[in-house]
Amino acid sequence: MTEWIGETFTSDAGWRHLTELVDTGTRMAGSEGERAAAEATRDALAEYARDAGLSTFDIQGWEREASAITADGETVASDDRAVIALPRSPAGAVTGRLVDAGHGLPEEFAEVDCEDAVVIARSDVPDWYDRYIHRREKYYHAVEAGAAAFVYVNHVEGMLPPTGSVGTPEEPIGDVPAVGVARETGARLARRYEGETATVSVDCATPDATSQNVHAELGPDTDEAVLVTSHVDAHDIAEGAMDNGAGTATVVEVAKALAAREGELDTRVEFVAFGAEEVGLVGSSRLADETDLEDVKAVLNLDGVVRGRTLQCYTHGFDGLIDATEAVADRLDHPITTSPTMNPHSDHWPFVQWGVPGIHVMSETDDEGRGWGHTHADTLDKLEPRTLREQAVLLTELAVELADEERSLPRRDTAEIATALEEQDLAEGMQIVGDWPYDD
């Protein structure tokens, strides 16, 4: 009965696929590398699951070129180890006085005069602050405050400028260029040039492009399905090993393990590796729009796994998901951390926002924020095969648990979801970036 566990602990399917993904080259949404990675994932899933294929869709592409910051006539940053444009930033060069908005908290933007300014803000939040503030929210606060440009400062040491999209999936927002700079570069800007004249320049292109979702399935041919998901795209400045090659590789390992247990599945399991997650959850939003959500029993989304040995599951207040996760942890006598907190920043969200039970699975780490994610340091050497295998065992068991016809997974009313977002102080941020899906 547990033979599959031993096979998973000795399998190299997931790690082999992870290595293939990181060696593909850039997997930026809409790139040839993303397409190659999707095709490789389709082929890997086809070894264990049926009907493996791709569904293609149009997106607005974005191609990075040069960026620079000058201040008081001095070039402060001009190479990609110090400054990089944030995806979906508009092109252009703007000049204004340099203003330090600290951590980019809403109250900090309210306290400083950002009108026509080059505004810098850190990527983290203070220890005393009660919630994480996403990069896009900080950008939109700067835009609303009248900023001429936005400079996103990494809080992680090591000359690692952070990337991450701004704007919308449809088009760049306005004429406010946005760049990420290394912690050390940001410290120098704030120390030497606050109040001085600074110029931010961004060169980029926005060609028409296509992305794709990867699909495959196992189990009985039921209308209802459990979705086991990841995203195959990554930012173009690193290997994308942690974000999210590891998630997609784990989906492949779980598919292999579930193939050996297919007779135990009461509900169809659909594997989906989404495209274009990093530029606004485009692939998952497309699938959610095309799917009868009543036919989705649950979403098990792997984004941020393998970075640490203990799984952390955001269950978004669905009691049935907490019960299922704790049942697996007890049965296998292995720790899994659960949190009912809402987390609207990955591919589960286009489903969860409408009341579909969804788990966002990550790893517990000591890092604050993304750590090495979204930087040049997101590389394969940070991960270990044993962690991937161990977590694949737990996630395979969890997928079987979610697919069990006796496992009740009650949905939540959308009004409950909206109320939870408001109570957790997430609604304002979603509203300012245009992600609030509910009528007032």
Side-chain angles (χ1 to χ4, degrees):
M1 180 178 176
T2 58
E3 183 178 348
W4 67 274
I5 295 179
E7 291 177 353
T8 302
F9 268 117
T10 58
S11 172
D12 68 349
W15 191 260
R16 182 163 24 95
H17 188 60
L18 176 55
T19 302
E20 184 174 7
L21 291 177
V22 301
D23 289 343
T24 297
T26 177
R27 305 198 309 275
M28 189 74 182
S31 69
E32 289 300 318
E34 187 204 32
R35 177 78 181 188
E39 291 174 348
T41 301
R42 174 201 61 197
D43 295 346
L45 288 172
E47 294 187 39
Y48 315 111
R50 64 178 181 270
D51 298 334
L54 306 180
S55 58
T56 301
F57 49 90
D58 295 331
I59 66 168
Q60 178 214 61
W62 190 89
E63 295 178 355
R64 185 192 312 278
E65 297 179 14
S67 302
I69 300 176
T70 61
D72 197 24
E74 177 186 356
T75 299
V76 180
S78 60
D79 65 77
D80 68 1
R81 293 291 166 173
V83 56
I84 49 178
L86 301 185
R88 298 201 185 285
S89 167
V94 298
T95 299
R97 76 191 185 289
L98 190 74
V99 171
D100 185 358
H103 290 89
L105 309 180
E107 46 266 49
E108 288 178 309
F109 278 110
E111 292 171 357
V112 297
D113 180 10
C114 297
E115 189 69 32
D116 297 324
V118 172
V119 178
I120 64 176
R122 282 173 57 107
S123 60
D124 58 348
V125 298
D127 291 340
W128 53 264
Y129 205 66
D130 59 0
R131 70 178 179 95
Y132 172 71
I133 301 183
H134 195 271
R135 168 195 64 258
R136 290 178 65 225
E137 182 181 347
K138 296 182 182 187
Y139 175 67
Y140 276 78
H141 277 300
V143 171
E144 276 207 347
F150 177 70
V151 180
Y152 189 55
V153 181
N154 201 354
H155 67 279
V156 178
E157 297 176 347
M159 290 304 293
L160 295 169
T163 189
S165 66
V166 294
T168 70
E170 291 77 28
E171 59 183 354
I173 179 173
D175 56 358
V176 180
V179 297
V181 300
R183 171 175 174 160
E184 296 81 358
T185 305
R188 185 181 184 205
L189 282 167
R191 177 176 60 85
R192 292 192 58 185
Y193 301 108
E194 186 171 12
E196 303 295 333
T197 299
T199 298
V200 173
S201 61
V202 170
D203 288 329
C204 60
T206 54
D208 293 336
T210 60
S211 184
Q212 55 285 304
N213 293 334
V214 186
H215 299 266
E217 58 184 46
L218 280 170
D221 188 20
T222 55
D223 290 335
E224 194 174 50
V226 171
L227 305 186
V228 178
T229 70
S230 65
H231 68 88
V232 76
D233 63 311
H235 284 291
D236 57 340
I237 63 170
E239 295 176 352
M242 292 177 283
D243 190 10
N244 186 35
T248 297
T250 305
V251 167
V252 170
E253 195 68 74
V254 169
K256 180 181 179 183
L258 284 178
R261 305 181 66 187
E262 189 168 14
E264 300 177 48
L265 297 175
D266 295 332
T267 306
R268 178 168 55 91
V269 173
E270 183 175 353
F271 306 99
V272 190
F274 294 111
E277 188 269 355
E278 296 288 8
V279 290
L281 313 184
V282 181
S284 53
S285 296
R286 181 181 179 89
L287 181 63
D289 289 343
E290 295 174 345
T291 300
D292 184 346
L293 297 183
E294 292 298 321
D295 290 338
V296 181
K297 184 179 183 184
V299 179
L300 182 61
N301 180 40
L302 317 186
D303 187 1
V305 296
V306 189
R307 298 185 306 155
R309 293 195 71 186
T310 300
L311 289 176
Q312 181 173 20
C313 295
Y314 289 92
T315 56
H316 306 97
F318 292 92
D319 292 337
L321 295 179
I322 296 174
D323 293 343
T325 304
E326 291 179 348
V328 168
D330 291 343
R331 188 155 59 243
L332 296 182
D333 192 22
H334 200 98
I336 301 176
T337 300
T338 60
S339 171
T341 306
M342 310 303 286
N343 186 4
H345 299 302
S346 188
D347 285 317
H348 56 280
W349 189 250
F351 302 88
V352 171
Q353 67 182 352
W354 302 120
V356 176
I359 304 177
H360 179 193
V361 187
M362 305 176 66
S363 293
E364 280 192 355
T365 70
D366 294 329
D367 295 329
E368 184 179 7
R370 297 183 186 276
W372 283 310
H374 286 205
T375 76
H376 296 288
D378 182 359
T379 52
L380 184 64
D381 58 288
K382 311 296 192 309
L383 305 177
E384 294 184 342
R386 68 171 182 174
T387 308
L388 191 156
R389 294 167 179 151
E390 187 175 271
Q391 294 184 355
V393 169
L394 294 168
L395 293 166
T396 298
E397 188 72 7
L398 182 54
V400 173
E401 183 74 24
L402 297 176
D404 189 333
E405 62 185 1
E406 296 184 3
R407 170 59 65 184
S408 175
L409 299 175
R411 302 168 108 75
R412 299 187 72 187
D413 186 83
T414 54
E416 291 182 59
I417 301 291
T419 298
L421 290 167
E422 290 167 349
E423 290 175 347
Q424 294 172 34
D425 200 20
L426 295 168
E428 180 185 358
M430 295 177 68
Q431 289 162 354
I432 195 172
V433 304
D435 288 345
W436 185 254
Y438 312 112
D439 295 331
D440 294 332

